[in-house]
Amino acid sequence: MSLASPPDARCTCRNRDGSKLELGQTVCIRIGDVAYLARCEMELNVTTWRKLRDGCPEARLSVGTNLTQ
């Protein structure tokens, strides 16, 4: 019996802007008006983006909140 080898550390996924992300990293992918959260994964022996969920997390700043009381 032969055990599968771990993925090569040099394997990466390429983002639309040309940047490379390592296996396991997540990114917001935007194509036109559609945005979704995806993770770089290995499928068979090819890297691919696996959709995790629709939409992307957003940071929001609440303006006008008094933090001192």
Side-chain angles (χ1 to χ4, degrees):
M1 180 171 75
S2 174
L3 297 176
S5 301
D8 189 327
R10 296 172 293 181
C11 293
T12 59
C13 293
R14 191 171 296 268
N15 203 351
R16 292 188 73 197
D17 65 4
S19 61
K20 293 181 183 179
L21 286 97
E22 295 179 10
L23 292 172
Q25 289 187 299
T26 58
V27 67
C28 177
I29 295 179
R30 296 182 189 277
I31 301 172
D33 294 337
V34 178
Y36 60 92
L37 191 64
R39 179 176 43 231
C40 177
E41 294 186 357
M42 183 71 75
E43 187 170 315
L44 297 176
N45 64 343
V46 179
T47 56
T48 187
W49 290 109
R50 171 98 44 217
K51 182 178 178 180
L52 300 175
R53 68 179 174 112
D54 290 329
C56 296
E58 295 180 15
R60 296 186 182 191
L61 177 63
S62 180
V63 179
T65 303
N66 187 357
L67 298 177
T68 60
Q69 295 182 348

